[in-house]
Amino acid sequence: MSGSIEQGISQTHGNTHILHFVVRIPVRAEDIWAAVATPEGLGGWCTAVDVLEPRLDGLVALRDLGTGRVTAWDVDRVAEYTVEGGGRIRFHLERDGEGAGVLRFTHEFQGEGESESGWRARFEHLIEKFAGPESGRPARGEGPGAGPGDEPAEPLPGQLT
């Protein structure tokens, strides 16, 4: 099974723009968490992260998107960042059967911002990060949030094991 990105939805309410995507990734939702909730994970597919305090109201600095606060944090489920100039960026993870996850993404911003095609390209890159040579999964020690060498990554702070 390979990943998929459903057609993005773009809405405008006054001067507020909202982009929604549903991304299906053929790995467990818990494995996707590192890709949306760690500097290494986000840096591997989205944007470089200068600061990320992994807790509610923690500081976040996403190099191409802005600096702000963590406005929602539910380990293994929700990471939401609200950044000045970049708006609200929300990653909501769900299980999709035994071995797959669904990433429900929302980007709410005012004025000019990221386009639907820009986010789609990022999500395609994210899916590629998880694609292994044959299994559709990352090779051991590879993928967003993986540790060096052949060992899997350590659990994240606050992550259930």
Side-chain angles (χ1 to χ4, degrees), residues 18-157:
I18 304 169
L19 293 176
H20 295 282
F21 281 95
V22 175
V23 182
R24 297 182 189 287
I25 304 173
V27 296
R28 298 176 320 140
E30 294 84 354
D31 296 333
I32 301 166
W33 176 251
V36 300
T38 67
E40 301 80 17
L42 284 165
W45 70 276
C46 183
T47 186
V49 178
D50 295 317
V51 177
L52 175 54
E53 296 175 348
R55 60 178 170 78
L56 188 59
D57 200 38
L59 182 63
V60 63
L62 306 174
R63 195 167 296 168
D64 295 331
L65 300 170
T67 299
R69 294 283 177 193
V70 176
T71 48
W73 192 261
D74 184 0
V75 174
D76 288 336
R77 291 186 39 99
V78 177
E80 179 182 281
Y81 314 114
T82 301
V83 295
E84 189 174 320
R88 181 176 64 94
I89 302 160
R90 182 180 182 91
F91 302 99
H92 183 132
L93 297 170
E94 300 173 357
R95 287 182 174 87
D96 187 17
E98 282 296 309
V102 174
L103 171 61
R104 295 186 184 279
F105 170 80
T106 303
H107 185 194
E108 182 177 322
F109 59 96
Q110 295 185 345
E112 297 299 315
E114 292 287 322
S115 68
E116 183 177 335
S117 63
W119 279 109
R120 177 173 290 284
R122 282 185 171 118
F123 292 130
E124 287 170 354
H125 191 63
L126 175 63
I127 290 170
E128 288 172 9
K129 287 283 194 186
F130 280 110
E134 308 229 356
S135 66
R137 294 181 172 222
R140 201 174 152 163
E142 295 178 359
D150 288 333
E151 295 302 315
E154 294 295 317
L156 301 174

